[in-house]
Every structure is written in C-alpha cells, then in structure tokens.
Amino acid sequence: MKYKRIFTIVIDSFGVGAMYNAKEYGDEGTNTFAHIDENMDPFIIPNLMKLGLGQIQKPVHAIINENPIGYYGKMNELSVGKDTMTGHWEMMGLHITEPFITFTENGFPEELIHELEKQTGHIVIGNKAASGTEILNELAAQEIQSNAKKMIVYTSADSVLQICGNEEIMGLDELYRCCQIARDITMKPEWKVGRVIARPYIERDGQYIRTSHRHDYALSPFNKTVLDLLKENQKDVIAIGKIEDIFNGNGITQSYHSNSSIHGMEQTLEVMKKDFTGLCFVNLVDFDAKWGHRRNPVGYGKELEAFDCKLELVLNELKEDDLLIICADHGNDPTHTGSDHTKEMVPLMMYSPSMKESSPLEIQDSFGTIGMTILENFEIPKLSFHIGHSILKNLV
C-alpha cells in the first residue's frame, strides 16, 4: 500500500475542452475552464495552478505556475452520455454503453404522470424541461395557493425527474414520500430515469429560494464498483456531498451531506483530521447547479476562487502517505447555448507530499483511471468488467 488515505475531489462540471466526439452532442468548441478564465480578470486560483491546471489548459487571465507539483493531465470519457451518474460510475470502473433515458423534448408521458398523481394524491403541474429557478418563478405561487394540492414536476437535459415542494406547506416528509413513489414508478424500463430529485424551497418576500434539503433517489450501479470492493476489503469509504446519492449508498461506509461546495471542503478538512485507511470521495455540486446550468461564467469563476482558498488548506493538511486527486465528472460550459452539460475532457491532478517528481500525464482514455489506481494502491484486484488502468507506478 503506497498511500493510506486517498482524497478524490470532484469539481462537478469542470471541463477542460471538447472531447473528440463533442459534435455528436452539439458541444463543439466548448471549454468550461477556458471560457470562465476569459470572463475573469483577474482570476486568482494559485493552488489549482500549482497543481498543474495551467499546463492542462493554458489560461488568459489566471497566472500559470511554471513549476507545478504532482502529476497532471486530461481524461476522456469512454461511456456514452455526459451526466453526473455516468461520470462518477465510470470513475469507479463501470462502462455505461446505453445513455440514461431523458424526457427533455415533451416532458413525461401522460401514463407516468397519471400514475404519479394517483399514488401521491397531488395534481402535477409543469411537466416540462426547465431550470430550477425558472420553474419556481413560473409555478411556485400556484403550488402555494393550492395549499400543496398541486406539486411541480419537471426535468432537464439530464435523466432526471424533479419534484419541487414548499418546505413549509408541503413539508419535507411529504415531498420525500412523493419522490420515493416517483422512484418506484420510474423503475419501469421505458421510464427509467437515472435520478429522482427532491427540490424543496421556501418563499421569502416574493422570492423562491431552494434549500439545502435536496435529496436524490438514484439507481443503484448495475455492477460492483471500486467503492464496493474497498468496503468488502475493510477499507473506509467516506462520501461527502452527493456521492452517497449517486451510488445509492452502495459501497459507502460513512456519509456527510453538504450544504454547499465550500461546506463540502470544510467537511473534507474535518475528515483529514481523522485516522482512516481508504478513500474520501467528495462531490462539489455548486459549480454545476448554481453556475454551469445557469450560464454564469463569472459566478463559476468566483466559486473556483473560493474553492482555491480552501484547497490551500487541504494541501497544507496532507500527510506523506496521503494522495490528493482532483478531477471532474463532465463539462458545463457557462458560455455555451442552452443549459445542458457539455461533452468535455476533464482535468486529472494528483499530488502527495511524498512525491519526488512532477510530470504531465498522457491523456487517459477513460475516467476509470482513477478507480483502477485506487484499487492497485490498496492491492485489490480489479474485476473483469472494470474499465481503465492504474497509473500508480507513474506517481513517484
């Protein structure tokens, strides 16, 4: 075992350039990092630059560190699709060959909506693709006036069914109950969305504010992941943010819910004070949910600057036998058309205080590089269906 603790931090949606097949997804020319950088002047992210981000993608305004530490490069996604579950499952060894079903064009089928109304006792309004802020501005007042007899159902470019509920009128327990019903209904093959998401909100002075009590009801991975193997081999698997939701609890030994990306980094710093052997797996969703989908490059850039400040603390806390991995699960170029994720390569930055060298990495052919490197570190054999290869031997 080379490293006792591995910290893998996913900057949700932080792409670094269109993939070779981006045209198939309507994403030619996308580059989340480069286009954020173009809109930020100055752009103060010295710790990401220290880890080699400037060598991965040359910036205009962020200042390149000419002597980066650790190892750095890009990863392609082998699986089809460009959603959160696909990206994270691939990191942990699974190859997704069929994309999750989406209902972006026409909303959900009448039969599905009828069944949802019948089982929940609520009248569905919405039933279309929309952003979370748009749908609340359009329909929240109607839901509130109905005293929660109506509930807002919507989707996005992702494979999701989302239900909005006012925390103070519908209540969290009722919202979660309805989402569990929706999850059960959408287990039918023709309706099988990747996630059902509870989207609670409150109303204050005419403004509709989403709260931190979001809850995802995801599909379980279709086969064993790296997380399962770590747990089976008595290693700790500590999940921060929405990691537990993404894997539907499978392979997790301990989980922390985050209220924000900054909170997620603070939780990571707390976990770093603990003595454990295994993986701390972190997802920081604000980059995607607050800024990428809402096409706000400056907001995204400021979030990266705040993250960078916390990253400095993480780097200072690393022990000699710790490994830090920073990556992303897909792109979400805030200057692109629409509000969908973008099919991009993602960064791979790896660092340990014990490293004696620093070097660029070859472009990896799948996100599975991460999971396979973790498995080899803990001397756990990969399974026959796992994709990716370990680069542990490259980390010197």
Side-chain angles (χ1 to χ4, degrees):
M1 185 174 67
K2 192 170 186 177
Y3 303 107
K4 181 180 179 182
R5 306 188 303 177
I6 297 178
F7 296 87
T8 299
I9 300 176
V10 182
I11 306 177
D12 199 306
S13 83
F14 191 49
V16 288
M19 265 184 56
Y20 62 90
N21 60 349
K23 184 177 180 179
E24 298 172 18
Y25 296 82
D27 293 333
E28 284 183 290
T30 55
N31 191 318
T32 299
F33 170 52
H35 293 148
I36 292 167
D37 175 71
E38 288 174 3
N39 283 273
M40 295 292 291
D41 187 14
F43 194 14
I44 305 171
I45 47 171
N47 296 293
L48 282 167
M49 292 292 115
K50 185 178 181 180
L51 291 172
L53 180 60
Q55 281 72 20
I56 295 172
Q57 169 65 52
K58 187 176 180 180
V60 175
H61 294 127
I63 299 173
I64 293 177
N65 188 316
E66 299 296 345
N67 298 293
I69 58 175
Y71 294 80
Y72 45 87
K74 302 176 185 178
M75 297 188 293
N76 280 307
E77 185 174 32
L78 185 61
S79 298
V80 298
K82 51 179 177 176
D83 60 89
T84 296
M85 286 173 60
T86 296
H88 284 78
W89 288 10
E90 181 168 312
M91 285 179 213
M92 295 299 115
L94 299 186
H95 184 198
I96 291 78
T97 57
E98 293 186 14
F100 294 106
I101 298 172
T102 59
F103 295 91
T104 309
E105 295 300 319
N106 302 305
F108 299 103
E110 287 185 16
E111 185 183 357
L112 188 161
I113 295 298
H114 175 73
E115 191 63 28
L116 185 60
E117 290 178 333
K118 177 183 174 184
Q119 292 193 36
T120 63
H122 296 272
I123 299 167
V124 168
I125 55 176
N127 189 25
K128 62 182 179 180
S131 79
T133 50
E134 288 172 357
I135 204 77
L136 286 178
N137 288 334
E138 179 185 349
L139 296 174
Q142 188 180 152
E143 187 216 354
I144 292 169
Q145 289 165 8
S146 76
N147 198 29
K149 290 183 175 64
K150 297 179 180 179
M151 68 179 182
I152 303 165
V153 175
Y154 71 109
T155 188
S156 70
D158 279 353
S159 179
V160 294
L161 185 154
Q162 305 185 79
I163 302 179
C164 295
N166 187 287
E167 279 195 14
E168 297 162 336
I169 298 174
M170 180 184 238
L172 282 175
D173 289 344
E174 177 62 9
L175 175 60
Y176 294 161
R177 182 187 75 87
C178 293
C179 287
Q180 184 59 63
I181 290 170
R183 176 72 278 176
D184 294 341
I185 291 171
T186 56
M187 291 307 292
K188 290 181 67 173
E190 63 269 32
W191 299 342
K192 192 177 282 187
V193 294
R195 288 174 293 160
V196 172
I197 306 177
R199 291 287 196 178
Y201 72 94
I202 55 175
E203 185 271 330
R204 292 291 182 270
D205 300 321
Q207 300 294 312
Y208 306 109
I209 305 163
R210 294 204 298 199
T211 73
S212 62
H213 297 132
R214 162 184 171 159
H215 185 62
D216 292 35
Y217 298 76
L219 296 175
S220 289
F222 56 83
N223 225 325
K224 282 189 177 182
T225 71
V226 169
L227 305 185
D228 295 307
L229 296 184
L230 289 171
K231 185 176 180 180
E232 288 174 7
N233 284 272
Q234 289 75 56
K235 300 295 183 282
D236 296 295
V237 182
I238 302 170
I240 294 178
K242 64 178 185 178
I243 295 296
E244 183 178 39
D245 291 333
I246 292 167
F247 291 89
N248 203 24
N250 291 276
I252 308 295
T253 61
Q254 191 173 4
S255 181
Y256 296 88
H257 171 74
S258 304
N259 296 329
S260 66
S261 290
I262 293 302
H263 184 216
M265 288 296 284
E266 291 169 349
Q267 291 169 313
T268 303
L269 286 162
E270 286 299 311
V271 170
M272 294 184 82
K273 298 175 183 177
K274 300 183 178 185
D275 181 24
F276 69 91
T277 302
L279 172 67
C280 177
F281 198 4
V282 184
N283 175 277
L284 306 175
V285 72
D286 284 356
F287 299 96
D288 185 53
K290 285 189 174 180
W291 314 116
H293 285 301
R294 298 182 190 179
R295 295 303 188 247
N296 186 336
V298 174
Y300 204 133
K302 289 180 178 178
E303 189 83 36
L304 282 168
E305 290 181 331
F307 164 78
D308 197 84
C309 292
K310 295 295 183 184
L311 178 58
E312 181 177 15
L313 301 178
V314 168
L315 290 171
N316 291 337
E317 287 293 325
L318 287 172
K319 299 179 180 179
E320 287 289 309
D321 57 354
D322 288 342
L323 174 65
L324 173 66
I325 302 173
I326 295 180
C327 60
D329 53 343
H330 50 72
N332 200 347
D333 188 334
T335 68
H336 195 46
T337 57
S339 61
D340 191 8
H341 295 154
T342 45
K343 189 70 170 177
E344 296 183 54
M345 294 179 285
V346 302
L348 175 62
M349 294 173 275
M350 310 177 88
Y351 172 71
S352 172
S354 63
M355 289 176 175
K356 298 178 177 60
E357 296 181 7
S358 174
S359 176
L361 297 165
E362 293 182 355
I363 296 177
Q364 304 298 303
D365 60 6
S366 86
F367 297 175
T369 293
I370 292 172
M372 297 311 105
T373 301
I374 292 169
L375 282 184
E376 185 179 5
N377 177 74
F378 292 110
E379 301 177 330
I380 301 170
K382 64 186 285 189
L383 300 178
S384 60
F385 52 81
H386 282 158
I387 62 171
H389 63 276
S390 171
I391 56 172
L392 189 68
K393 65 180 181 296
N394 299 89
L395 310 180
V396 296

